[in-house]
Every structure is written in C-alpha cells, then in structure tokens.
Amino acid sequence: MIKVNKDFVDIPKILKSQNRKDAFTKNISSSQYEDEKNLYKVGSVQKRLKMIYHLKCAYCEQKLLDAPKHIEHYRPKDIYYWLAYSWDNLLLSCGSCNSSKGTNFQIKKSIVTYNNESFEDIHSLCTSYDIIEEPMVVNPEKEDVLDKLVFDKEGNISSSDDRIIYTINDVCKLNREELVQKRVKILNDFINKYLYFRRIVDTS
C-alpha cells in the first residue's frame, strides 16, 4: 500500500473517447453498470497503470510479472456505476486482491449517489467524494500510510489505524499465506546478510 504518484490531469485519451461516453450514458440510463465489453479494460490504460505502479499490485505490492494484471475500481463499479471509466478510480491490482475486495467499500459517513455529474467530470470526483463518505479502504493513490504499517517476525502485517486494518483484513486479505511467506523470506534474507557482514567485521 505504498503511495504512488499518479497524474490525475493527464487522462488516457481512450477514457475520454466517444464510445466510453456512450457506455457511461447507458449506465446512467439504467442506473447500473451494463458494459458487457468492460471498456475500461484496454491496453493503453493498463500500460499507464503498470508504469505508475511499477508493475506492482496497488494493495499487496507483489510484482505482477507473469501474474494476472487486473484494472481495479477503488469505488466498485457495481455500486458507483458512473465511475466505471474514471481515471481517478482505476488502480492496478493482482487477481487475489481484486477478487477479495469485490464490492467491499465500507464508509464512515453518507454514501454518494449519482447527481447528474457529466462524463467530463468523472475523472476528478474522488477527492470530493472522500470528504462526503470518508471511505475505510486505503487509497494508495491518495494516501501515504507507510509509517502506520507494522510487520512482525512471522511475516504478518498490522496497524493501529482502523482503516488500514480494515483494508488488510476485511478487504484485501493481506495476511494470506503466499504474502506472509514472501515477507518471511525477505526478513530472513536480510537477517542472513546482516549476520554475514557482522562476521566479516568481527574477524577483520
């Protein structure tokens, strides 16, 4: 969940195209997500997100070299159907985090609903929506929570922050076995290198 730097002004042209606008209008007309082609899933958008996220999952940060690369909606498209093509709502994630997150999007205040926002406006609504809703899910494009993360020697991740705990445990399952094992390996490799250099220093 390390914060990434995303240019919210430099929107991929494909997300502003006429067929996306038509799909947006269709979603608005039916008050639900109805895009059978999933037009947010295009190569140019994924390419940009892969660069922004350095080919890592937005939530668990594992490398997505040969793993499935999902374009994930911070605010679930099945609930916030008018944000399906919103640049400030699209993240890169692994399949496990995306599937686990699903439509999990708990908020502390009142949920926003569609309020006649235009297609041209959808790419810059996240900040104002955050004020209205106060989402529990951490947004790596907006927040730096690195100093609030705690790692133990067993490879588990935790925090004293309720939003981070919600994201770790309830949304993305960031203490799943594969991630814990990778963290333990990183920790053990660090310890072994430290001990190796200590021996060299002590015998020199």
Side-chain angles (χ1 to χ4, degrees), residues 27-57:
N27 292 343
I28 298 304
S29 297
S30 58
S31 298
Q32 63 182 359
Y33 181 74
E34 287 201 343
D35 178 11
E36 296 178 356
K37 294 183 179 180
N38 292 327
L39 290 173
Y40 63 89
K41 290 183 179 180
V42 290
S44 58
V45 174
Q46 187 180 92
K47 183 178 179 180
R48 287 279 295 279
L49 291 174
K50 284 161 62 176
M51 291 175 59
I52 292 166
Y53 282 91
H54 304 287
L55 202 56
K56 292 182 180 180
C57 173

Side-chain angles (χ1 to χ4, degrees), residues 74-75 105 109 112 125-135 139 142-143:
Y74 175 67
R75 283 181 166 80
F105 197 76
K109 292 185 177 179
V112 298
L125 295 172
C126 186
T127 300
S128 60
Y129 281 4
D130 287 347
I131 295 172
I132 297 169
E133 294 186 322
E134 286 194 13
N139 186 343
K142 302 283 186 177
E143 306 171 71

Side-chain angles (χ1 to χ4, degrees), residues 160-172:
S160 59
D161 184 284
D162 62 338
R163 295 180 61 247
I164 296 176
I165 284 295
Y166 173 70
T167 305
I168 291 172
N169 295 332
D170 299 310
V171 179
C172 295

Side-chain angles (χ1 to χ4, degrees), residues 107-160:
I107 58 176
K108 292 185 177 182
K109 292 185 177 179
S110 301
I111 187 171
V112 298
T113 56
Y114 178 66
N115 190 30
N116 295 315
E117 289 89 351
S118 71
F119 176 70
E120 290 72 24
D121 291 336
I122 63 172
H123 303 289
S124 58
L125 295 172
C126 186
T127 300
S128 60
Y129 281 4
D130 287 347
I131 295 172
I132 297 169
E133 294 186 322
E134 286 194 13
M136 288 289 291
V137 182
V138 172
N139 186 343
E141 295 185 352
K142 302 283 186 177
E143 306 171 71
D144 187 352
V145 299
L146 184 59
D147 62 345
K148 297 179 182 178
L149 300 176
V150 178
F151 297 85
D152 65 24
K153 61 182 180 181
E154 282 78 34
N156 294 298
I157 183 174
S158 63
S159 178
S160 59

Side-chain angles (χ1 to χ4, degrees), residues 17-120:
S17 63
Q18 184 61 47
N19 62 344
R20 270 67 181 176
K21 186 173 183 177
D22 293 342
F24 165 84
T25 302
K26 183 179 180 181
N27 292 343
I28 298 304
S29 297
S30 58
S31 298
Q32 63 182 359
Y33 181 74
E34 287 201 343
D35 178 11
E36 296 178 356
K37 294 183 179 180
N38 292 327
L39 290 173
Y40 63 89
K41 290 183 179 180
V42 290
S44 58
V45 174
Q46 187 180 92
K47 183 178 179 180
R48 287 279 295 279
L49 291 174
K50 284 161 62 176
M51 291 175 59
I52 292 166
Y53 282 91
H54 304 287
L55 202 56
K56 292 182 180 180
C57 173
Y59 299 107
C60 71
E61 293 182 58
Q62 67 175 320
K63 274 284 189 180
L64 303 177
L65 296 173
D66 298 318
K69 302 161 189 65
H70 289 227
I71 297 180
E72 201 274 316
H73 291 81
Y74 175 67
R75 283 181 166 80
K77 65 183 184 299
D78 290 336
I79 301 173
Y80 303 84
Y81 52 87
W82 65 99
L83 299 179
Y85 318 104
S86 167
W87 180 233
D88 71 357
N89 195 46
L90 299 178
L91 292 72
L92 185 71
S93 78
C94 67
S96 295
C97 283
N98 190 28
S99 298
S100 178
K101 181 172 178 287
T103 57
N104 289 328
F105 197 76
Q106 184 177 326
I107 58 176
K108 292 185 177 182
K109 292 185 177 179
S110 301
I111 187 171
V112 298
T113 56
Y114 178 66
N115 190 30
N116 295 315
E117 289 89 351
S118 71
F119 176 70
E120 290 72 24

